[in-house]
Amino acid sequence: MIVRFLSIAEEEFADAAEFYEEQSPGLGGIFIEQIKEAVEYLRRNPFAGVLIDKRVRKAVTTKFPYNVVYFPSASELVILAIAHHKREPLYWRDRIEGLQG
């Protein structure tokens, strides 16, 4: 299964990693690895995340207060958001327009 990040999700990922790196050198790298591990697990198990909106799912990271919000289709796993737990719920909903699967 192919993994595709929406560009805005890539930006969220990079911004969060940069924030953690500024807090403590090396922490940004740990955050990146945590998200990559979660995404790889989801690639292999696309329906493992909790269903949160129609066909959108989320996986909670274990070391950071972030969710990987994604849309599994027949051929790809689309990462919609790397969402902080305290961010407004469902702020990413408009990102699912046009996705098929």
Side-chain angles (χ1 to χ4, degrees):
M1 179 168 283
I2 296 170
V3 174
R4 176 171 61 98
F5 277 74
L6 295 184
S7 60
I8 194 156
E10 285 180 347
E11 289 175 30
E12 290 170 340
F13 185 20
D15 289 348
E18 184 178 323
F19 169 80
Y20 282 117
E21 191 62 29
E22 289 173 357
Q23 300 308 302
S24 178
L27 192 57
I30 294 169
F31 175 77
I32 289 169
E33 285 307 309
Q34 173 94 154
I35 297 298
K36 284 183 175 181
E37 287 173 12
V39 169
E40 178 57 23
Y41 176 77
L42 295 171
R43 186 188 66 75
R44 292 189 317 266
N45 304 282
F47 298 99
V50 176
L51 190 63
I52 56 173
D53 185 64
K54 296 179 187 169
R55 295 177 52 217
V56 176
R57 295 176 175 270
K58 76 173 179 180
V60 180
T61 61
T62 57
K63 296 178 184 171
F64 294 90
Y66 278 82
N67 295 320
V68 177
V69 180
Y70 68 101
F71 175 86
S73 73
S75 61
E76 67 180 355
L77 188 79
V78 180
I79 308 301
L80 301 173
I82 303 299
H84 192 281
H85 292 174
K86 296 205 177 195
R87 193 160 182 183
E88 179 183 336
L90 305 177
Y91 73 91
W92 45 263
R93 258 185 131 173
D94 63 334
R95 299 178 189 180
I96 59 178
E97 291 179 23
L99 295 178
Q100 296 178 11

